[in-house]
Amino acid sequence: MLLTVDRGKPQTLTIQVYEQIREAIWNEVLREGIKLPSSRELAQQSGVSRNIVMEAYDQLLAEGYLEVRPRSGTYVADGASLRHRPGPVGDRGGAGAGGGAGRRAGAGQHEPQSSEYAERAWIDFHASRPATDYFPRHLWGRLAKEACYESPEHSFGYLEPEGALKLRRVLAPYLRQVRGVHCQPGQILITGGATQALYLITKLLTDPQGYIAAEDPTASEMRSIFTYAGAEVRPIPVDDKGILPDRLSRSDSPRFVFVTPSHQFPLGGTLPIQRRIQLIDYARAMNCYIVEDDYDSEFTYDGVPIHAMQGLDPERVIYVGTFSKILSPSLRIGYVVLPQSLLPAFRTSKWYLDRHTSALEQLILARFIEQGHLDRHIRRMRKVYRKRREVLIRSLSEHFGEVDILGHAAGMHLVVRFKQVSFSEALLERIQSAGVLVYPVEQFALQKGAYTNSIVLGYGGLTTDLIKEGIRRMKIVMAEMPEMGLAVGDDHLLNE
Ligand SMILES: Cc1ncc(COP(=O)(O)O)c(C=O)c1O
């Protein structure tokens, strides 16, 4: 059991130790009936005095989380965890209360996780966490005040479902210039993130007889949106450059093909122009759409970002973008650029969903872009992410020797492939019990078995210290597993 204490925090060390153990019990990281280390051992491992651990244990005993078995030791008491309790009718179990990890909900299926909202005690290498510590709070606050005081009165009434014209007017030239997207403000629909855009697209373009062709592996969040919206998803394999268009069916047309051509999620390939053209030809021949999710293309660390596919054929490609990665996922602002013919149906659907996305946030964002802050913020964040990526790669090679890092140097995650390791459920659980969350590529794959030795490591939301600590803990845990044939300190062995 590894605990982390922070002497800079306002809570006492006893409370920090108590809360971490309590949370581990709630989340079944420490399961009922498990024996806890002695107070002396835990104190040594965690770098606190034995008294602190004894006080925390006493509190947990008093509250019924722990029990002392005479002449044996301290154990997690029966009935102390939250997660296995049956939820209310209709609760599928994965998204219950309790905070913490609980991340592997069903093989390959993403369900909303409570950890996404809870304060984290974990070193979480989740791929879609941006650096919230760099959110420009003061600037945003100032712009919020300006937007509130200076916006015309009608901004506080109902908007058009497609969103604030002020935002769409600054977004269109930005997308043209930075991403090569061909669009007028009238083709943009502002949505509650890419999530809502993809839900609307699926609802409007598919029917029970149709299907969606999606890259495999792909983001489990996105795949579960398609499924939840009622569509069948058929996997199309990818290689190190992205989707293989030759593998699309010529006899049975999908309603759309879902792709991440700038930075394939999760493997990181950038789709070459030949394949982009093949996809456009396919969409024209089969009379379907390409849905392009351009989720993190602003952050490239090698060369210049390649323009979006949408510019090749704005009538066939539906372009989806988001401010979740560039700024913050809590803003819930994304957008979809549509062919003119699809707009009326999307407007109507958006109206029924939520009338429109919150106006004030859109007006603040419009000012942020208009005044040049977005460009500056992206330049700044590129440096932050480049550094975090470098530290991650360095830590991996320090602890594991040469490892294969897959994909283009971009975004805020990478995939690391080990030569001799299979990320079994047991290994992942051991890593998790050291307070570290990593994500096997298999979790994102529909066709299982091809990626058992690879994991996705998101570095966007972790400080360099946490990145180093996370990889250090992962190494310790892996070295402790006898089947790895490693001892702590045997760096480089995993990949020899
Ligand atoms: C592939 C992909 N696209 C887009 C997003 C962003 O979604 P949203 O804009 O709804 O926050 C994510 C985040 O998980 C993602 O993994």
Side-chain angles (χ1 to χ4, degrees):
M1 188 161 70
L2 286 161
L3 302 179
T4 39
V5 292
D6 179 352
R7 289 183 163 73
K9 276 193 175 170
Q11 294 106 322
T12 63
L13 296 183
T14 307
I15 290 187
Q16 292 186 41
V17 171
Y18 157 82
E19 283 183 347
Q20 286 178 59
I21 299 175
R22 188 188 57 181
E23 207 160 291
I25 295 173
W26 277 350
N27 296 323
E28 293 183 322
V29 173
L30 288 175
R31 289 173 191 271
E32 292 170 10
I34 275 189
K35 184 175 178 182
L36 266 69
S38 71
S39 54
R40 191 187 309 276
E41 275 166 1
L42 188 56
Q44 259 170 10
Q45 286 166 14
S46 314
V48 296
S49 74
R50 191 174 167 209
N51 270 348
I52 300 274
V53 176
M54 279 163 56
E55 277 176 32
Y57 275 14
D58 281 348
Q59 182 65 29
L60 290 159
L61 279 164
E63 291 182 25
Y65 288 102
L66 302 182
E67 62 188 12
V68 172
R69 297 190 193 158
R71 290 182 301 283
S72 174
T74 306
Y75 290 79
V76 177
D78 278 351
S81 69
L82 270 177
R83 300 253 328 281
H84 72 289
R85 304 235 174 283
V89 178
D91 180 357
R92 287 175 302 152
R103 81 203 138 78
R104 277 187 293 283
Q109 251 325 50
H110 174 83
E111 295 181 19
Q113 297 295 304
S114 49
S115 64
E116 289 169 10
Y117 323 117
E119 197 184 322
R120 279 174 291 150
W122 305 90
I123 300 179
D124 188 351
F125 286 96
H126 195 286
S128 49
R129 301 257 155 79
T132 42
D133 46 340
Y134 280 84
F135 183 77
R137 291 182 189 227
H138 293 294
L139 178 57
W140 198 262
R142 177 162 69 68
L143 296 176
K145 194 168 159 192
E146 275 176 32
C148 209
Y149 287 0
E150 293 168 15
S151 299
E153 198 179 318
H154 67 76
S155 315
F156 300 95
Y158 286 114
L159 293 193
E160 294 299 302
E162 55 266 45
L165 184 58
K166 192 172 163 62
L167 176 58
R168 291 181 292 119
R169 276 199 179 134
V170 292
L171 199 50
Y174 168 80
L175 290 175
R176 261 200 302 276
Q177 200 186 331
V178 178
R179 303 296 308 125
V181 170
H182 286 242
C183 71
Q184 299 301 322
Q187 284 169 264
I188 301 177
L189 182 95
I190 306 293
T191 56
T195 303
Q196 192 185 55
L198 291 168
Y199 180 77
L200 280 170
I201 291 169
T202 313
K203 274 285 182 206
L204 288 171
L205 297 188
T206 62
D207 52 55
Q209 286 74 46
Y211 75 96
I212 295 170
E215 294 169 342
D216 186 31
T218 196
S220 20
E221 283 95 337
M222 301 306 142
R223 201 173 53 228
S224 67
I225 294 166
F226 302 145
T227 317
Y228 186 70
E232 181 199 344
V233 181
R234 294 197 197 157
I236 309 297
V238 303
D239 67 9
D240 58 334
K241 296 189 173 64
I243 194 166
L244 295 164
D246 288 343
R247 306 290 287 273
L248 289 159
S249 168
R250 287 271 156 192
S251 55
D252 186 9
S253 172
R255 295 299 192 253
F256 64 83
V257 184
F258 176 71
V259 285
T260 48
S262 305
H263 190 222
Q264 203 279 326
F265 189 92
L267 298 181
T270 300
L271 202 66
I273 185 67
Q274 294 77 2
R275 290 199 204 169
R276 292 175 185 231
I277 289 170
Q278 253 184 296
L279 278 178
I280 302 279
D281 284 345
Y282 178 84
R284 288 176 182 171
M286 304 298 284
N287 195 22
C288 66
Y289 290 99
I290 306 291
V291 173
E292 174 177 25
D293 181 358
D294 205 21
Y295 63 102
D296 71 358
S297 54
E298 288 81 4
F299 301 117
T300 39
Y301 316 115
D302 269 352
V304 282
I306 299 190
H307 273 179
M309 267 187 72
Q310 192 267 5
L312 293 175
D313 189 344
E315 287 304 307
R316 285 286 161 198
V317 182
I318 297 174
Y319 178 87
V320 176
T322 179
F323 286 94
S324 289
K325 313 267 177 165
I326 317 181
L327 268 169
S328 157
S330 74
L331 290 177
R332 305 312 305 135
I333 301 186
Y335 50 92
V336 49
V337 178
L338 292 159
Q340 288 287 355
S341 55
L342 292 178
L343 257 155
F346 274 77
R347 287 182 86 242
T348 307
S349 250
K350 172 72 178 163
W351 190 92
Y352 280 110
L353 265 188
D354 58 6
R355 287 230 177 177
H356 61 76
T357 296
S358 162
L360 202 52
E361 296 300 332
Q362 293 186 55
L363 296 174
I364 303 168
L365 179 58
R367 279 167 192 261
F368 191 79
I369 302 174
E370 205 173 29
Q371 297 178 15
H373 302 300
L374 184 64
D375 290 333
R376 274 192 289 279
H377 183 68
I378 290 172
R379 280 201 298 279
R380 177 177 189 224
M381 295 315 296
R382 207 177 274 139
K383 286 189 196 142
V384 171
Y385 292 133
R386 185 198 299 268
K387 173 93 186 138
R388 291 183 178 187
R389 183 182 169 88
E390 279 167 11
V391 167
L392 175 57
I393 294 175
R394 209 175 320 125
S395 300
L396 284 165
S397 86
E398 265 167 34
H399 289 292
F400 298 106
E402 285 293 302
V403 282
D404 284 338
I405 306 293
L406 308 191
H408 187 52
M412 45 193 75
H413 75 272
L414 53 78
V415 168
V416 54
R417 185 168 56 202
F418 295 82
K419 290 205 178 77
Q420 295 175 14
V421 179
S422 175
F423 285 89
S424 63
E425 202 55 32
L427 175 54
L428 291 162
E429 270 173 20
R430 291 289 290 273
I431 297 172
Q432 183 168 332
S433 67
V436 179
L437 299 178
V438 300
Y439 298 84
V441 175
E442 283 287 301
Q443 177 184 321
F444 303 101
L446 270 180
Q447 304 285 341
K448 300 290 179 197
Y451 305 100
T452 52
N453 57 352
S454 305
I455 48 172
V456 181
L457 294 174
Y459 48 83
L462 293 173
T463 60
T464 51
D465 282 347
L466 285 174
I467 291 171
K468 287 186 215 161
E469 176 62 11
I471 300 303
R472 189 186 72 82
R473 289 189 194 183
M474 195 168 104
K475 169 64 196 296
I476 293 174
V477 167
M478 287 165 78
E480 275 169 359
M481 294 191 78
E483 57 272 35
M484 306 264 164
L486 284 173
V488 180
D490 276 353
D491 288 353
H492 312 303
L493 285 181
L494 285 173
N495 288 289
E496 274 171 6

